[in-house]
Amino acid sequence: MGKTLFDKVWDAHVVDTIDNGPQILYIDKHLIHEVTSPQAFNELEERNIPVFRPDQIVATADHNTPTINQHLPIKDELSRKQLEQLSENCKKNNITLYELGHKYNGIVHVMAPELGITQPGMTIVCGDSHTSTHGAFGTIAFGIGTSQVAQVFASQCLLLTKPKSLRVSVNGKLKNGVLPKDVILYIISKIGTNAGTGFFCEYAGDVFENMSMEGRMTVCNMSIEMGARGGMIAPDETTFEYVKGRKFAPKGEAFDKKVVYWKTLPTDNNAVFDKEYHFDAEDIEPMLTYGTNPGMGIKISEFIPETSDASFEKALDYMNFKKGETLIDKPINFVFIGSCTNSRIEDFRIAANYIKGKQKADNVTAWLVPGSKQVEAQIIEEGLKAIFDDAGFELRQPGCSACLAMNDDKIPQGEYCVSTSNRNFEGRQGQGARTILASPLMAAATAVEGKIIDITKQLN
Amino acid sequence: MEKFKTLTATAIPLDIENVDTDQIIPARFLKVTNRDGFGQNLFRDWRFQKDGSVNTNFVLNQPQFDGPILVAGDNFGCGSSREHAAWALTDYGFKVIVSSFFADIFKGNALNNGLLPVQVSPEFLKELMTTIQADPRTKITVDLEAQTIGVDGSNHSEAFEIDAYKKTCMINGYDDIDYLLSKKETIEAFEKTLQAY
């Protein structure tokens, strides 16, 4: 029987196997940030254990950083202390840190790929569930808890049981106005938020083959929202082209040698998956969520389902939506374009392309938060900032921002926010805030119209 | 890590599905750098109204229910990887979470903190939930060595699965770091053979 992409990368990293137990998996890169690392550093210190491979760790500050006036001291004392703690821990342990204001600072899942830290065939972990993003490169990448952060600090390894394999194939031609975000929201709406639990997912089919690396990252990013620890896409010429020439990518002959290896990684034709789903690209439309988990999504042309179930009704009650209604024409006062799902340059190009020559609706507060300092610089360099400024949008500084509202970027109680982020949980974007997940195009259109519209009517 | 063998106690029924880690501990409480005191903010936005007053409709605030066992709806612990969720539950006093399905990362985090996730069938979960709701003094026994969970004074019980290695860790209070450090030489030898990376 052939091997899957996942098998090949996993098997290459197994150090040892415990009888009737988990395996010891070697981790190539460990990414850390301010929120889930301090307790792990404390634990090592308390137990007098040194950091085993500091050169394989890269740190950034992102979750708890302000998105305005980053050059000034942080006002919130707890946030400031948490960032100071990260700097101190990295310094003490010789770990590379791209702190606030550094030209490489950014959301961990945006900055690592753009610096070429993320490469095909690697194992990458981070104390953040959206680490699945890096799977876009044909990488085994997944989120871990803080105890596991400490384990990787101590040994560069984790004890894990190999997950089962799942493949989601989408073939055909995507309709006008359907973006990678819509593809993944569609998949989750079809299979549910726990269909992937216990599995590692591979996305296959020509829809993903034809996607840019930015699009693939958006898709893999949300693998965890269907319960899968990670999602992967086979590396190909698009991947190699993206990695080539980046700061930490191998250079010259070393790069060519890697490419030869990377080309051996795609799933063998005779490999068998534990579970498979197939979808038709033509069935996908721009998507929106109406509830309080990412699986509660509908196509723009659809109505909220008429399900009778306590959890479903609790969610609709929270959102103040009714069964059987459409989301079209719902007035919206907040729009957020950002997060590790959709804050890469391509996302802002899409938004700018739509916004150009239009004006933001007066009722809307629209925050555009780039994923990294490099994305921010590119937005300015490509003239996108001028488009956003002219249209009344606010371009802020990089960070996780209103995706989880740990900093001051909170959506007020009861307000709807059309958001390009990844989670519409109760209170995720602020206490009582109501999140509607969508693509950057849908978000931009909402900001211009001041309400949700059927974007396909404008495009066709 | 605390050892866990068996527990007989009353339980709290949280009859809600897809309880995500943002509900267990909202992100705004993750700004601290230690792992203590998260219990006071466990389920913060369900336990308290926005004005800080107690939400008496929420099960954790109903005096008839108490105990170190939380019986929760399907797909418990989905969402973020924050281990703060497990810390909040243990700090509040929970030792066992029962559900018909657990999200992966949460399950691992719980096991790494001596908090036992017990996965039962949807039917048994429903039965537990209604039994406890009808009589909050109902005692539940969780026996890790035998891998069973049952309602005291009745013949309602079920076996549950747990990874053999993790079971040993829970019973003896070991954690993964101890084991990994004991394998350091093997890990170093592996690094030398790692051609690809």
Side-chain angles (χ1 to χ4, degrees):
Chain A
M1 197 173 76
K3 281 182 160 194
T4 66
L5 162 64
F6 177 79
D7 290 334
K8 293 180 193 183
V9 181
W10 179 277
D11 293 351
H13 289 85
V14 174
V15 175
D16 204 356
T17 301
I18 302 176
D19 288 341
N20 301 316
Q23 292 179 300
I24 302 177
L25 192 78
Y26 192 78
I27 303 302
D28 293 312
K29 292 283 177 209
H30 185 191
L31 309 172
I32 62 169
H33 61 84
E34 73 275 27
V35 178
T36 57
S37 67
Q39 293 88 350
F41 280 114
N42 292 348
E43 184 169 352
L44 256 69
E45 211 164 290
E46 280 160 20
R47 294 167 73 162
N48 206 16
I49 303 167
V51 173
F52 184 53
R53 294 288 180 247
D55 291 351
Q56 286 165 250
I57 308 171
V58 178
T60 186
D62 58 1
H63 279 64
N64 197 3
T65 54
T67 57
I68 47 168
N69 295 323
Q70 289 186 345
H71 61 292
L72 298 176
I74 296 168
K75 284 190 212 141
D76 181 272
E77 199 192 335
L78 281 174
S79 302
R80 193 176 65 243
K81 280 191 172 158
Q82 198 173 46
L83 292 168
E84 284 168 1
Q85 188 72 55
L86 178 71
S87 303
E88 200 185 300
N89 285 333
C90 289
K91 202 172 162 193
K92 217 190 287 179
N93 293 287
N94 292 317
I95 292 166
T96 303
L97 165 68
Y98 299 122
E99 60 193 346
L100 197 59
H102 191 284
K103 65 177 178 173
Y104 296 146
N105 173 258
I107 304 176
V108 60
H109 312 310
V110 177
M111 51 76 69
E114 76 188 5
L115 286 173
I117 294 167
T118 306
Q119 295 164 28
M122 282 184 165
T123 49
I124 299 182
V125 294
C126 174
D128 186 282
S129 61
H130 293 112
T131 307
S132 57
T133 310
H134 307 264
F137 292 79
T139 303
I140 290 184
F142 54 92
I144 56 176
T146 298
S147 294
Q148 292 175 308
V149 171
Q151 290 160 26
V152 182
F153 281 165
S155 68
Q156 205 56 36
C157 288
L158 283 172
L159 282 169
L160 297 164
T161 303
K162 191 176 178 180
K164 288 180 278 189
S165 61
L166 159 70
R167 181 162 61 185
V168 176
S169 303
V170 187
N171 284 289
K173 195 175 175 317
L174 291 174
K175 286 181 186 162
N176 209 1
V178 174
L179 301 185
K181 180 62 164 290
D182 299 306
V183 175
I184 188 64
L185 283 174
Y186 172 90
I187 293 169
I188 303 167
S189 78
K190 292 289 177 194
I191 71 176
T193 51
N194 62 17
T197 307
F199 293 84
F200 224 87
C201 180
E202 179 175 342
Y203 300 97
D206 52 18
V207 163
F208 305 110
E209 285 163 20
N210 295 329
M211 249 179 215
S212 66
M213 286 314 294
E214 285 85 352
R216 292 178 190 183
M217 283 190 256
T218 299
V219 169
C220 291
N221 173 276
M222 290 191 71
S223 302
I224 186 69
E225 310 311 335
M226 57 186 190
R229 199 77 183 262
M232 304 173 88
I233 293 174
D236 59 10
E237 290 303 327
T238 306
T239 323
F240 310 148
E241 202 48 48
Y242 181 97
V243 175
K244 195 174 185 177
R246 291 189 185 261
K247 187 172 170 64
F248 295 106
K251 304 281 178 330
E253 210 178 303
F255 181 81
D256 297 338
K257 270 172 90 174
K258 287 284 183 198
V259 171
V260 173
Y261 170 63
W262 294 342
K263 283 183 175 171
T264 67
L265 295 175
T267 295
D268 298 333
N269 286 335
N270 57 345
V272 177
F273 287 80
D274 295 309
K275 188 149 93 170
E276 292 228 43
Y277 294 100
H278 295 272
F279 297 105
D280 179 1
E282 273 111 76
D283 189 44
I284 309 175
E285 289 179 26
M287 299 290 294
L288 292 167
T289 60
Y290 58 86
T292 56
N293 72 57
M296 300 177 84
I298 48 173
K299 299 176 195 172
I300 186 68
S301 68
E302 288 180 330
F303 301 92
I304 295 175
E306 311 238 6
T307 309
S308 287
D309 158 290
S311 294
F312 182 86
E313 280 157 10
K314 183 177 183 293
L316 282 201
D317 188 49
Y318 181 84
M319 293 300 289
N320 197 26
F321 287 150
K322 292 182 194 66
K323 292 178 189 179
E325 72 174 343
T326 173
L327 295 181
I328 295 171
D329 289 337
K330 286 275 178 199
I332 303 292
N333 294 331
F334 288 84
V335 168
F336 171 60
I337 301 183
S339 87
C340 57
T341 315
N342 283 117
S343 65
R344 297 178 182 83
I345 189 63
E346 189 177 278
D347 301 312
F348 293 100
R349 286 184 193 139
I350 286 162
N353 186 46
Y354 179 85
I355 290 165
K356 195 172 186 176
K358 299 186 179 86
Q359 278 296 311
K360 179 186 71 65
D362 288 340
N363 61 309
V364 173
T365 301
W367 294 331
L368 308 176
V369 182
S372 70
K373 288 294 278 183
Q374 294 208 71
V375 172
E376 182 188 33
Q378 217 173 337
I379 287 172
I380 296 166
E381 202 181 289
E382 293 185 13
L384 310 185
K385 184 178 186 302
I387 295 171
F388 297 137
D389 288 347
D390 289 348
F393 285 74
E394 189 187 354
L395 180 68
R396 297 170 78 102
Q397 291 171 298
C400 297
S401 180
C403 172
L404 81 167
M406 255 193 96
N407 66 1
D408 292 337
D409 305 349
K410 296 183 202 306
I411 308 303
Q413 168 98 15
E415 290 285 356
Y416 292 109
C417 177
V418 170
S419 176
T420 66
S421 54
N422 39 55
R423 286 189 176 133
N424 49 349
F425 296 155
E426 281 183 33
R428 170 83 178 180
Q429 296 195 287
Q431 276 179 278
R434 296 167 170 151
T435 304
I436 298 169
L437 301 175
S439 75
L441 177 62
M442 283 293 287
T446 305
V448 167
E449 299 288 339
K451 60 180 185 179
I452 292 172
I453 61 155
D454 183 352
I455 188 77
T456 59
K457 297 243 158 67
Q458 281 191 0
L459 297 173
N460 298 325
Chain B
M1 200 171 81
E2 259 188 66
K3 296 177 183 180
F4 187 105
K5 279 184 180 144
T6 62
L7 176 71
T8 298
T10 53
I12 300 179
L14 179 65
D15 198 2
I16 300 173
E17 291 181 0
N18 298 311
V19 174
D20 60 73
T21 52
D22 273 87
Q23 304 319 316
I24 299 173
I25 182 84
R28 63 184 187 280
F29 300 114
L30 309 186
K31 294 180 181 182
V32 295
T33 54
N34 56 33
R35 44 171 94 190
D36 309 318
F38 287 104
Q40 58 180 319
N41 293 315
L42 174 72
F43 296 121
R44 175 78 198 192
D45 296 338
W46 285 346
R47 274 164 67 199
F48 300 97
Q49 312 281 8
K50 185 116 201 251
D51 63 8
S53 62
V54 172
N55 174 11
T56 50
N57 290 325
F58 187 59
V59 69
L60 261 64
N61 293 328
Q62 294 173 340
Q64 67 271 35
F65 296 112
D66 66 5
I69 301 173
L70 183 70
V71 179
D74 197 58
N75 199 25
F76 186 85
C78 57
S80 113
S81 63
R82 62 187 71 160
E83 194 159 316
H84 311 68
W87 301 333
L89 287 158
T90 53
D91 188 50
Y92 189 87
F94 288 112
K95 296 191 183 312
V96 173
I97 313 289
V98 183
S99 179
S100 49
F101 202 87
F102 290 95
D104 270 345
I105 306 180
F106 174 80
K107 193 176 183 177
N109 288 341
L111 287 164
N112 282 333
N113 285 279
L115 176 66
L116 183 66
V118 175
Q119 187 166 327
V120 296
S121 68
E123 298 74 30
F124 189 73
L125 181 73
K126 201 173 171 192
E127 196 179 300
L128 269 184
M129 203 75 84
T130 45
T131 308
I132 301 161
Q133 281 163 343
D135 178 8
R137 304 323 303 163
T138 304
K139 289 219 163 130
I140 311 292
T141 293
V142 178
D143 185 335
L144 177 57
E145 273 174 333
Q147 293 181 220
T148 56
I149 175 168
V151 178
D152 279 21
S154 83
N155 55 3
H156 299 295
S157 75
E158 197 170 87
F160 63 87
E161 298 286 320
I162 181 170
D163 179 273
Y165 165 80
K166 275 293 168 196
K167 179 176 168 179
T168 311
C169 288
M170 288 281 290
I171 289 172
N172 297 297
Y174 298 155
D175 69 16
D176 290 358
I177 289 190
D178 299 327
Y179 185 83
L180 287 166
L181 287 176
S182 75
K183 289 285 177 182
K184 207 154 197 172
E185 281 176 19
T186 317
I187 295 167
E188 279 169 342
F190 176 83
E191 282 180 319
K192 293 198 181 83
T193 68
L194 201 59
Q195 288 302 310
Y197 285 100

